[in-house]
Amino acid sequence: MMVSLDAVLPDDVLEKILSLLPIASILRARSVCKRWHSVVHSRSYSWMNRLPQKPWYFMFTRANSPTGYAFDPNLRKWYNFDLPCIERSNWLISSSHGLVCFMDNDNRSRIFVCNPITRYWTRIPEPPGVYLPDYSALAMSVDQCARSYTIVVAKSKLLPSDLLQSELSIHIYESETGLWVTPFMEILVGWRGGDEGVICNGVFYCLIHRTGVLGNADIRHGLLMYDLSARSSNTSIMRMSIPVPLQITCGRLMNLKDKLVLVGGIAKHDRPDIIKGICIWELHRNEWREIARMPHRLFQGFGEFDEVFASSGADDLVFIQSFGGTALLTFDMKQRSWKWSVKCPVTKRFPLQLFTGFCFEPRLEAAH
């Protein structure tokens, strides 16, 4: 008499076997039967201690829809993928250890946290502070031990009485309390906030942009830092600001294994709107060190490269793509190597179609 192997395997053994599979295979395996679905979504030891895989890169392929393709660098495959809880691609996005935070780029008040793999999501209360700020930066950090997360929103509003000045406020949300606090606010002179922020080693970092010609006109960007554990409200964070190297465009901040990394386009000195290359820096004790510069042959491989591009990173990987196409290039921080992804299975439907994306770590155990 034939006996099904599945029938004699205890749940813990089946769980151990499934946990060793690539995440894409696990997602297919959960559709086999109710038992396998239950095992895959159990929060037991095997899943909690499963070694993380390389981050995936999700590419939006339509502006009015949260659909697209996700690239898996482990198997070097693209998967047809759609995101829960959002309706289109125009969102500010931050990710950490399997969770992704979305903030509506139109009104800056709707915020969601989700796990793209399990598709579980929740809505976060509306952040306090000025309504409809001119600029907002979003950052998220997951505490894996406490199974909680922190969200930071930095709002910047130009003062109507003097457009060279702006009000910067920092708002912090803790999932453990479900509450927002606003521990810091400062008037910046000659500077404004932007839409780029990240949390690294308990410190919130954000890029700021010059609004006037005060001081050194060659310095167009700066880096602000705010200690989330100290939460001081009396110290000026501008006094501790760090200049950003060179004249860059499309600057993106990333937390790569607790190291603060900056990716930016190197602008021509006489034409700051034109990119002549892309560089990666790492912050060491308030000084930027150049890690890599994209080889010119790879830079040309993007074809008609616009002055804007998307970049995102997690773990040891940095992903870079042009807004004007679907070509995706990765840089491995550990191996110091560049590599093209396989071709994305989508083509441009019209000349002005734009593409963007973000990376996230595919984790089943990440819960919100």
Side-chain angles (χ1 to χ4, degrees), residues 150-162:
T150 300
I151 298 172
V152 177
V153 174
K155 296 185 177 184
S156 180
K157 184 77 171 179
L158 297 175
L159 299 185
S161 58
D162 185 354

Side-chain angles (χ1 to χ4, degrees), residues 107 109-113 121-126 149 173 368:
N107 56 35
S109 61
R110 289 198 303 155
I111 299 179
F112 298 95
V113 172
W121 62 273
T122 188
R123 182 169 179 174
I124 304 300
E126 182 175 334
Y149 56 83
Y173 176 84
H368 50 75

Side-chain angles (χ1 to χ4, degrees), residues 108-295:
R108 314 294 174 93
S109 61
R110 289 198 303 155
I111 299 179
F112 298 95
V113 172
C114 82
N115 181 331
I117 297 299
T118 63
R119 301 184 59 81
Y120 293 146
W121 62 273
T122 188
R123 182 169 179 174
I124 304 300
E126 182 175 334
V130 62
Y131 182 69
L132 291 178
D134 295 312
Y135 305 93
S136 296
L138 173 71
M140 178 188 195
S141 178
V142 171
D143 185 333
Q144 292 179 284
C145 296
R147 298 183 61 78
S148 62
Y149 56 83
T150 300
I151 298 172
V152 177
V153 174
K155 296 185 177 184
S156 180
K157 184 77 171 179
L158 297 175
L159 299 185
S161 58
D162 185 354
L163 295 181
L164 294 180
Q165 299 186 48
S166 66
E167 180 187 86
L168 178 72
S169 57
I170 295 177
H171 313 274
I172 304 172
Y173 176 84
E174 300 285 359
S175 64
E176 290 184 323
T177 63
L179 300 174
W180 287 94
V181 294
T182 304
F184 186 84
M185 186 178 298
E186 183 173 348
I187 301 297
L188 307 184
V189 180
W191 296 89
R192 64 162 177 83
D195 59 3
E196 189 60 29
V198 73
I199 299 172
C200 187
N201 292 316
V203 177
F204 170 69
Y205 296 90
C206 66
L207 290 180
I208 55 174
H209 305 254
R210 184 175 289 280
T211 58
V213 292
L214 299 175
N216 188 348
D218 289 334
I219 302 177
R220 299 171 56 208
H221 302 87
L223 178 73
L224 295 184
M225 60 187 80
Y226 181 77
D227 191 329
L228 297 177
S229 58
R231 298 195 181 184
S232 173
S233 59
N234 301 320
T235 304
S236 170
I237 57 176
M238 280 301 300
R239 295 180 182 177
M240 300 179 290
S241 63
I242 301 172
V244 169
L246 305 178
Q247 293 195 41
I248 68 167
T249 183
C250 297
R252 298 291 183 267
L253 297 173
M254 306 170 193
N255 179 351
L256 303 185
K257 290 189 171 179
D258 294 330
K259 295 179 181 179
L260 184 66
V261 172
L262 169 67
V263 178
I266 306 171
K268 290 187 176 182
H269 186 74
D270 56 338
R271 292 287 305 276
D273 58 328
I274 297 179
I275 298 175
K276 64 179 181 180
I278 295 178
C279 194
I280 301 174
W281 296 271
E282 186 179 314
L283 189 66
H284 287 266
R285 295 182 179 179
N286 297 344
E287 292 185 0
W288 294 104
R289 294 182 183 177
E290 184 174 314
I291 300 300
R293 189 168 296 208
M294 184 184 295

